[in-house]
């Protein structure tokens, strides 16, 4: 061994000195021998009277009385690979973190112990400063060793993906950081708040001491302003009641239960709330069955497009339709889109859905054009799902679908969101150009909800802008919304783009849009999405009457 190798060599003395300098110790617990052994900074950690080895009873006795149940938790034999993660305070010492793992078929456990302040940074979510998921579960486990009635509450931020698309990830992170600060301030005295997922916050609080769900909602749903935009967050909240003590449920199991409640809350729409009950377990099993049914639905042809009319505001005639996916379940009947579209995305089937919708819509549009030549340049819009613009063979598939259906150029309109474009603008621009060359027309959906469209709009090959329905629905009551609608219409005209306003609920809104010189209107004021046969009846009636009927006022 050369001089350099000798200088870098480690020995037992060096390792012990390093542990002592870091106020850290190693521990090994062997239940069969009733022996706990320590190496390192035992005195600083309150383990001096126990070192270098002691019995399990002696180890428990040195813990402060309220933490002795936690000390016993370290000693309880577990399966191999089970992690040890406990906050424990010994007499005359500060709180320490015990981390380790059970080894050799559970014959012994080994790990490290250090002052909590040494571990603190790694146990915090870097974005919000709240506890991270693992630490929250550890703290919850410690709390639940104490008898009492508790409530675990989880809030899921609604539409975070949409927020990311509209603001970008960095600005959306600012929103999450602000929500974390608000939650921490609201429960600073009663509970340690945690961020347990990308869009989920959690609390474990004494039951009845605070109205946890209500206070959590109050803290998180206050409006905030980010990058010049007013954000109005909403959350879906789930809760589960639990009794503490020796027989308390495992925190990870409790978290599973409360997340079932969150999913139940989401079914009520944004801002829902639900408590865990046994019925949700059967609902969870039903979800598994629904997943299997959904896979089969693609094979059995149960998913089909419904068509919502798009009306020329100037003439009142039907100009086209937007195709929206619907599922005719053989037993449940028509499944609402919000019950299966999210599941479709989770199962990785959105590209299959997009291809199916394009193919069926193109075929249906071709039949209508042949049967109703007086309909003029009738078109049909199909949404590209998130990420679909980046999939391989998209352009080839679109070209083949248009060719097979014999559609004229531009009759099949593909709608994309700004978020899809902004991930890779250069690549998106090239794909959009190829799609237009293949015979499709292109619409930018929900325009007005993003912040960067103006930088790229002039050089992307769109022919249509779609104004987000929120601005249209509120333009007769909110001056800001009215100004946004008029600005988008004027921008579209300046760039030679057609503009479609979604959310036309009544004749009053249609009149305001016409006065603003908007080209097209779409919404429940004309019709909801209709099955193909009913959509054709609607088209026939509008052709016969010369105009599409519209409600005078909202229902």
């Amino acid at each position: 061994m050369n001089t350099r190798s000798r200088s870098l060599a480690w020995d037992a003395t060096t390792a012990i000195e390093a542990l002592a300098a870091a106020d850290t110790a190693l521990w090994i617990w062997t239940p069969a021998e009733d022996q706990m052994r320590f190496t390192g900074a035992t005195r600083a950690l309150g383990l001096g009277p126990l070192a270098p080895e002691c019995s399990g009873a002696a180890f428990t006795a040195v813990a402060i009385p309220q933490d002795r149940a936690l000390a016993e938790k370290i000693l309880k034999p577990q399966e191999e690979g089970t992690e040890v993660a406990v906050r424990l305070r010994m007499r005359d010492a500060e709180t320490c973190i015990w981390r380790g793992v059970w080894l050799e078929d559970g014959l012994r456990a080994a790990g490290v112990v250090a002052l909590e302040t040494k571990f603190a940074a790694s146990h915090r979510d870097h974005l919000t400063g709240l506890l991270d998921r693992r630490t929250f579960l550890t703290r919850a486990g410690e709390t639940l060793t104490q008898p009492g009635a508790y409530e675990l509450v989880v809030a899921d931020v609604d539409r975070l993906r949409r927020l990311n698309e509209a603001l970008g990830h960095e600005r959306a992170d600012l929103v999450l950081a602000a929500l974390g600060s608000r939650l921490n301030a609201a429960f600073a005295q009663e509970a340690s708040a945690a961020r347990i997922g990308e869009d989920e916050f959690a609390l474990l609080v004494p039951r009845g001491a605070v109205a946890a769900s209500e206070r959590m909602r109050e803290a998180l749903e206050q409006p905030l302003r980010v990058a010049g935009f007013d954000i109005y967050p909403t959350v879906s909240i789930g809760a589960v009641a639990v009794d503490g003590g020796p027989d308390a449920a495992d925190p990870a199991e409790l978290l599973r239960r409360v997340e079932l409640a969150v999913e139940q809350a989401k079914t009520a729409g944004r801002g829902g709330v639900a408590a865990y009950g046994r019925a949700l377990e059967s609902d969870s099993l039903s979800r598994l069955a629904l997943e299997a049914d959904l896979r089969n639905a693609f094979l059995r042809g149960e998913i089909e497009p419904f068509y919502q009319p798009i009306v020329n505001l100037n003439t009142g005639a039907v100009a086209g339709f937007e195709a929206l996916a619907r599922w005719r379940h053989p037993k449940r009947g028509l499944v609402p889109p919000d019950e299966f579209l999210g599941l479709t995305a989770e199962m990785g089937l959105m590209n299959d859905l997009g291809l199916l919708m394009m193919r069926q819509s193109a075929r249906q549009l071709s039949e209508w054009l042949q049967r109703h030549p007086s309909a003029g340049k009738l078109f049909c819009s199909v949404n590209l799902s998130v990420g679909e613009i980046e999939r391989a063979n998209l352009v080839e598939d679109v070209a083949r679908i248009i060719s097979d259906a014999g559609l004229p150029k531009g009759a099949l309109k593909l709608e994309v969101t700004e978020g899809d474009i902004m991930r890779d603008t250069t690549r998106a621009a090239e794909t959009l150009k190829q799609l237009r060359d293949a015979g499709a027309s292109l619409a930018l959906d929900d325009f007005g909800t993003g912040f960067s469209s103006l930088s790229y709009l002039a050089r992307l090959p769109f022919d249509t802008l779609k104004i987000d329905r929120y601005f249209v629905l509120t333009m007769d009551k909110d001056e800001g919304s009215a100004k946004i609608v008029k600005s988008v219409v004027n921008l579209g005209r300046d760039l030679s783009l057609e503009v479609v306003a979604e959310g036309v609920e009544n004749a009053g809104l249609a009149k305001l849009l016409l006065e603003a010189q908007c080209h097209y209107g779409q919404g429940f004021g004309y019709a909801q999405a209709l099955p193909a046969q009913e959509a054709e009846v609607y088209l026939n009636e509008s052709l016969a009457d010369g105009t599409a009927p519209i409600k005078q006022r909202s229902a």
Side-chain angles (χ1 to χ4, degrees), residues 111-148:
V112 63
V113 53
L115 294 174
E116 184 177 32
T117 53
K118 301 289 185 180
F119 278 96
S122 63
H123 286 6
R124 294 282 173 180
D125 172 58
H126 72 282
L127 182 62
T128 62
L130 303 179
L131 298 179
D132 62 21
R133 186 185 183 95
R134 175 178 288 185
T135 308
F136 177 74
L137 289 173
T138 300
R139 297 276 183 92
E142 296 166 3
T143 301
L144 291 174
T145 60
Q146 306 299 320

Side-chain angles (χ1 to χ4, degrees), residues 246-405:
D247 298 324
D250 181 75
E253 167 60 18
L254 291 173
L255 203 54
R256 184 193 70 82
R257 294 177 187 176
V258 78
E259 287 179 338
L260 284 178
V262 170
E263 290 301 316
Q264 177 67 20
K266 287 183 177 181
T267 63
R270 284 186 288 169
V273 62
Y276 171 81
R278 286 293 178 187
L280 294 184
E281 297 291 351
S282 59
D283 287 346
S284 183
L285 293 175
S286 297
R287 178 183 170 89
L288 291 177
L290 192 64
E291 289 181 5
D293 285 349
L294 184 55
R295 289 192 184 277
N296 290 328
F298 282 87
L299 302 175
R300 294 192 295 251
E302 295 169 5
I303 296 177
E304 62 182 270
F306 274 34
Y307 301 90
Q308 186 171 39
I310 299 173
V311 174
N312 186 313
L313 291 168
N314 190 45
T315 66
V318 173
F321 294 90
E322 179 178 359
L324 300 167
R326 297 293 185 265
W327 178 13
R328 291 189 186 275
H329 192 282
K331 294 181 179 178
R332 298 180 56 182
L334 203 61
V335 180
D338 58 356
E339 286 189 25
F340 76 88
L341 288 181
L343 187 59
T344 303
E346 290 176 22
M347 295 170 64
L349 296 173
M350 290 303 285
N351 287 342
D352 300 84
L353 179 62
L355 196 59
L356 181 151
M357 291 292 290
M358 283 190 286
R359 186 182 297 117
Q360 292 193 20
S361 299
R363 189 181 302 126
Q364 183 63 72
L365 178 60
S366 177
E367 293 178 9
W368 285 342
L369 287 171
Q370 292 176 31
R371 287 199 291 265
H372 306 284
S374 60
K377 295 182 178 180
L378 198 67
F379 64 85
C380 186
S381 295
V382 178
N383 292 285
L384 291 184
S385 61
V386 175
E388 191 174 2
I389 194 174
E390 298 168 359
R391 78 169 174 86
N393 303 320
L394 172 64
V395 175
E396 292 82 353
D397 288 338
V398 169
R400 184 176 60 256
I401 288 170
I402 292 173
S403 175
D404 290 348

